[in-house]
Amino acid sequence: MLKRLLLLPSLAAALLTTACTEAPKEAVKLPIMGERDVRPRADGGPADTVFATVPAFRLTDQFGQVLTNKSFAGRAYVADFFFATCPGICPKMQAEMLKVYKKFGQQQRLAFLSHTIDPAHDSIPVLRDYAERLGVGTARNWHFATTGAHGEPTARDTVFQLAQAYFTAALPDKQAPGGFAHNGTFALVDDQGHVRGLYDSLNPKEVDRLLVELPVLLAEIDSRKPGLARQ
Amino acid sequence: MNIAPKNVLPLALVALAAACSSPNQPIAEQGAPSEASAAEMVLMNRHDSLMAETSKLYEYKAKLSGYHTEAAAPYIHGLLAADAAMMDWMHQYKAPDTTAAPAARVAYFRQQQEILAGVSRQYRATLDSAQRFTTEHPAAGDVPPASK
């Protein structure tokens, strides 16, 4: 009995460590968010369920690298929307993202994607400088990306449509509020382009939830062969 | 102290919750904000709420662009002008250093507050106009089907 009692603190410590940093052993999965279509099969077999995905995108990051949905094939990513001159919530939001990055940045199955909503101002050098000021200047898996690397006149329209699409991919239309582009939400997207979680970066409990749920998604990705994200 | 094994799980869960949550001290515990900090907070809150409205500007712009009619052009122009005013404010805004004289900081934030209030009125007016136009001229997809 004494031995069992002596084991209790280490058991509790192990549980703590596992719950905060590692995927649970059982196959717990995060829900796939958003609308789904049930499509009957021509052969009369069980109907296929098709889940909403983030739309096709084409971005350029701080290194001048072109990013599409395919760039994230086989990897999950955490997405947010910011701009370099934002004096409001962006600094706090990016500080929270940095916290997540410091904990999970070494994971090969994970990337970070911060979209600027000020493409006219946030050129590639500005984005590179922003990453450097954040202390992640050499990070290759945290992309600070723009829809307007070549002065596209509709770059701002495109990024706002993309932001809205992340939300509508995550929530049924009737529930989708506006303002996703600047409300401090992080979206967790899986290796197949499904939104698996939305987190309010301004709420520490929500960021903690992301820290707990991320390993669950990474374990799911590890359990299957790399999928192909939608292009 | 004796701990029965059946009590271990609840204890562990309490410890887990404590360990997984991060400390988030309210401002009050760190001392009351100064007049300058309070003025800055008010300004930032207005900025953040206006930025959230920017998505609506672009939703209306996309909707109005689909009309393909000259009548929608002034409304699109109004929305873009409001957006430009906001971005201009953002790019010119330079928060004074916290080591600056408190009175100077307060004066700056109040001056910026007035400018931002003007941008806010511009947002409201253009959004209201765009909403009225789209309500009075529903796009084809918005027209409810005629009852038989």
Side-chain angles (χ1 to χ4, degrees), chain A residues 2-231:
Chain A
L2 180 64
K3 256 186 193 172
R4 282 169 65 191
L5 279 178
L6 285 174
L7 281 173
L8 290 178
S10 47
L11 176 68
L15 181 59
L16 264 175
T17 310
T18 307
C20 288
T21 60
E22 292 176 12
K25 299 290 182 223
E26 65 270 22
V28 174
K29 286 189 177 178
L30 302 181
I32 297 176
M33 302 182 74
E35 299 280 8
R36 60 199 64 191
D37 273 346
V38 179
R39 295 184 187 163
R41 278 169 46 174
D43 62 5
D48 292 324
T49 303
V50 180
F51 294 95
T53 57
V54 298
F57 57 76
R58 186 179 176 83
L59 310 164
T60 307
D61 74 6
Q62 73 271 33
F63 301 111
Q65 180 187 358
V66 173
L67 302 172
T68 67
N69 308 65
K70 269 193 174 175
S71 310
F72 298 94
R75 292 189 295 167
Y77 64 95
V78 186
D80 71 354
F81 291 82
F82 81 107
F83 57 108
T85 52
C86 167
I89 63 174
C90 298
K92 171 141 177 46
M93 186 172 78
Q94 294 299 43
E96 293 300 321
M97 187 71 111
L98 188 60
K99 199 161 89 179
V100 181
Y101 180 79
K102 280 181 176 167
K103 188 153 185 173
F104 292 102
Q106 299 305 313
Q107 294 281 345
Q108 291 185 342
R109 300 260 183 186
L110 183 65
F112 295 79
L113 178 56
S114 296
H115 309 72
T116 175
I117 57 169
D118 188 7
H121 175 272
D122 294 350
S123 61
I124 291 173
V126 169
L127 292 173
R128 201 160 46 233
D129 176 63
Y130 186 85
E132 279 167 11
R133 282 188 285 124
L134 205 58
V136 292
T138 56
R140 302 298 297 199
N141 59 343
W142 189 345
H143 308 277
F144 295 88
T146 176
T147 49
H150 307 289
E152 291 87 339
T154 56
R156 198 155 148 85
D157 300 77
T158 306
V159 73
F160 274 97
Q161 283 164 14
L162 186 57
Q164 188 61 25
Y166 268 91
F167 230 138
T168 47
L171 297 170
D173 281 347
K174 284 175 190 166
Q175 292 176 33
F180 181 59
H182 197 69
N183 64 3
T185 303
F186 293 156
L188 176 60
V189 183
D190 72 14
D191 54 326
Q192 297 169 333
H194 302 124
V195 177
R196 305 298 292 271
L198 293 176
Y199 310 87
D200 176 5
S201 69
L202 306 179
N203 179 344
K205 285 183 182 168
E206 285 280 286
V207 178
D208 288 341
R209 183 166 66 85
L210 172 59
L211 294 175
V212 170
E213 292 186 354
L214 247 172
V216 176
L217 180 59
L218 295 178
E220 181 189 321
I221 293 171
D222 282 339
S223 73
R224 61 175 175 249
K225 288 183 179 175
L228 284 177
R230 265 179 92 242
Q231 191 174 11

Side-chain angles (χ1 to χ4, degrees), chain B residues 99-121:
Chain B
T99 57
R105 291 181 67 213
V106 170
Y108 181 80
F109 293 134
R110 287 190 179 153
Q111 179 213 26
Q112 294 300 310
Q113 180 83 269
E114 281 179 27
I115 299 172
L116 209 48
V119 177
S120 182
R121 285 191 293 274

Side-chain angles (χ1 to χ4, degrees), chain B residues 3-135:
Chain B
I3 303 173
K6 67 177 179 182
N7 292 333
V8 169
L9 187 60
L11 278 177
L13 290 176
V14 169
L16 183 81
C20 289
S21 64
S22 62
N24 183 31
Q25 284 188 313
I27 288 172
E29 287 176 26
Q30 299 161 357
S34 65
E35 189 183 2
S37 298
E40 185 178 17
M41 261 193 282
V42 169
L43 184 65
M44 287 306 108
N45 287 342
R46 172 161 263 176
H47 157 262
D48 287 335
S49 65
L50 264 181
M51 280 307 296
E53 294 272 291
T54 305
S55 297
K56 278 190 202 159
L57 290 186
Y58 277 86
E59 281 169 39
Y60 275 112
K61 180 176 176 254
K63 198 169 184 178
L64 289 166
S65 299
Y67 277 63
H68 302 295
T69 164
E70 283 298 311
Y75 298 93
I76 296 174
H77 179 76
L79 294 168
L80 286 177
D83 181 43
M86 182 65 189
M87 297 316 285
D88 285 348
W89 177 82
M90 198 91 56
H91 295 148
Q92 63 80 41
Y93 176 77
K94 296 276 178 292
D97 197 277
T98 50
T99 57
R105 291 181 67 213
V106 170
Y108 181 80
F109 293 134
R110 287 190 179 153
Q111 179 213 26
Q112 294 300 310
Q113 180 83 269
E114 281 179 27
I115 299 172
L116 209 48
V119 177
S120 182
R121 285 191 293 274
Q122 196 175 349
Y123 261 54
R124 195 68 275 139
T126 54
L127 280 170
D128 286 350
S129 299
Q131 187 182 22
R132 201 175 315 117
F133 181 84
T134 54
T135 305

